[in-house]
Amino acid sequence: MSAAPLKTTPLADMHRAAGARMVDFGGWDMPVAYGSQIEEHHAVRTDAGMFDVSHMLNVDVTGDGATRFLRKLIANDVAKLAAPGRALYSCMLNPQGGVIDDLIVYFFTPDRWRVVVNAGTADKDIAWMKRVAQATDANVTITPRRDLAMIAVQGPQARARVFAVRPDWAAASEPLKPFSAAVIDADTLVARTGYTGEDGFEIVLPADQAVTLWNDLAAEGVRPCGLGARDTLRLEAGMNLYGQDMDELVHPGEAGLTWTVSLKDADRDFIGRQAIEQFPAPAAFVGLKLQSRGVMRAHMTVQTPQGPGEVTSGTMSPTLGVSIAFARVPAGVKAGDTVTVDIRGTAVPAVVCATTFVRHGKAVEAS
């Protein structure tokens, strides 16, 4: 049986024309780099870079029961969102407390919301959302929006570059605080969010307008960047990747995501709550900095005084010049401890630290 053809974003032809190296990313034909991945990484840390993230799926959740439905569906509490355009990050859990996906939810009105889900989990996410809506008899309509594209513009100069090419967006989007968005028109959303640890925007717009915006930003000096730089940037910034750092067998607490779970309202019976409350996380989620040469990678064994653990994500940090990683280790391992990582049969020392290594272009002191 032949493999299914890869899905493409509205910018796929442009990526190829620009000489991008393309890879299969969860069934999508995506650029991993346009040349030097390291240069792309540094462009985001020092200036401005842009990413095609149109493989991610925007999902509109509308109807009189939308708020109640989302309070049941996800672990964070959307009732926190009162101002139009405000957003929050959360996990969507199964009844066992495992992470089905991590996502961002935007509030517009009590009967109109938007959820942005990961590309590789989009189909199962939609199926799960519809199943929950049916089981709870929620009065909601769930609408996947594959007619939309999404471009992330990130870096200390990102917002200025966006305003330079779309000055008419500035009035609505310049005052935005982090984790908030401005609706420019019916299908254009400018959100002050990102996956790099830098300032910037994630812009949702009609698919047929994506190429023009990309070209305009490139002409303004914004550097096209691929998935390779996005991965090193997000890891430096302490941001998890679904499928590596968490999945349906991992509780939020085992992935450093306890802060995305809201237990404040005792009457809110969200899916997975009972499992989380009855079975506290047996493992800790920590950062590691390698103390010698080598590069930590996912699935490498970590030896600690409390027992073995495992690297979930690892890379060479372009900003710090050392290898960094996330690891799931036994409870009791704490910042400042020295552990060893098995790198091709050699036990290499690493120091335990916080999972955020770089923020706004600067190294975060280990803690």
Side-chain angles (χ1 to χ4, degrees), residues 294-305:
V295 180
M296 295 179 285
R297 300 293 187 190
H299 307 301
M300 288 180 173
T301 300
V302 181
Q303 293 294 344
T304 81

Side-chain angles (χ1 to χ4, degrees), residues 10-364:
L11 292 162
D13 289 342
M14 177 170 293
H15 299 320
R16 291 191 176 279
R21 181 161 61 91
M22 307 294 283
V23 297
D24 178 350
F25 184 73
W28 287 81
D29 192 27
M30 297 295 292
V32 68
Y34 294 82
S36 168
Q37 175 182 325
I38 302 299
E39 290 178 3
E40 292 171 17
H41 179 107
H42 289 311
V44 174
R45 286 278 180 252
T46 62
D47 191 359
M50 58 184 170
F51 303 83
D52 178 10
V53 288
S54 304
H55 58 314
M56 299 181 71
L57 180 60
N58 283 259
V59 183
D60 288 341
V61 179
T62 57
D64 292 343
T67 301
R68 181 172 64 87
F69 166 71
L70 289 170
R71 295 192 78 204
K72 176 74 173 180
L73 182 74
I74 68 171
N76 213 335
D77 192 355
V78 299
K80 299 175 183 178
L81 304 178
R86 291 294 293 170
L88 57 73
Y89 172 73
S90 185
C91 293
M92 184 165 62
L93 307 179
N94 58 30
Q96 296 74 39
V99 181
I100 294 175
D101 197 11
D102 64 323
L103 44 81
I104 293 180
V105 181
Y106 292 92
F107 166 72
F108 302 118
T109 66
D111 61 356
R112 189 166 67 89
W113 301 74
R114 176 166 291 175
V115 180
V116 182
V117 303
N118 285 303
T121 56
D123 290 343
K124 77 167 183 177
D125 288 356
I126 295 299
W128 176 252
M129 292 168 73
K130 290 182 176 180
R131 179 179 166 188
V132 173
Q134 184 176 19
T136 58
D137 197 26
N139 181 25
V140 294
T141 300
I142 298 166
T143 308
R145 298 294 305 275
R146 280 295 177 204
D147 57 319
L148 301 175
M150 193 169 176
I151 297 173
V153 190
Q154 302 281 289
Q157 298 302 316
R159 292 198 299 150
R161 300 290 172 82
V162 171
F163 298 147
V165 301
R166 294 294 182 273
D168 53 323
W169 291 0
S173 57
E174 193 168 15
L176 290 175
K177 297 183 182 301
F179 266 80
S180 60
V183 177
I184 304 300
D185 57 40
D187 287 323
T188 301
L189 182 76
V190 178
R192 197 171 174 189
T193 53
Y195 194 50
T196 64
E198 299 298 329
D199 202 357
F201 290 136
E202 290 181 312
I203 302 166
V204 179
L205 74 170
D208 60 5
Q209 297 178 19
V211 168
T212 299
L213 177 61
W214 187 273
N215 283 335
D216 290 347
L217 288 167
E220 191 61 29
V222 180
R223 181 163 186 150
C225 301
L227 293 173
R230 192 165 182 255
D231 192 54
T232 53
L233 288 159
R234 68 91 189 171
L235 210 164
E236 285 186 347
M239 297 178 177
N240 291 23
L241 175 63
Y242 188 84
Q244 282 192 206
D245 304 309
M246 71 285 203
D247 56 31
E248 293 191 32
L249 299 178
V250 175
H251 282 206
E254 298 174 294
L257 296 174
T258 303
W259 63 275
T260 73
V261 178
S262 178
L263 300 174
K264 186 174 181 180
D265 185 346
D267 295 327
R268 187 175 70 95
D269 185 26
F270 63 84
I271 297 169
R273 177 171 188 153
Q274 185 174 359
I276 288 175
E277 291 182 325
Q278 290 183 351
F279 303 102
F285 191 73
V286 300
L288 299 178
K289 285 185 182 179
L290 205 63
Q291 299 297 288
S292 185
R293 295 180 62 182
V295 180
M296 295 179 285
R297 300 293 187 190
H299 307 301
M300 288 180 173
T301 300
V302 181
Q303 293 294 344
T304 81
Q306 288 78 14
E310 184 179 49
V311 172
T312 60
S313 287
T315 192
M316 175 60 71
S317 165
T319 303
L320 304 181
V322 300
S323 180
I324 60 174
F326 300 153
R328 203 157 8 255
V329 295
V333 176
K334 62 185 184 302
D337 287 352
T338 297
V339 299
T340 61
V341 180
D342 185 343
I343 301 180
R344 295 184 296 278
T346 300
V348 182
V351 65
V352 177
C353 60
T355 54
T356 300
F357 302 92
V358 177
R359 186 66 75 189
H360 301 306
K362 304 296 184 182
V364 175

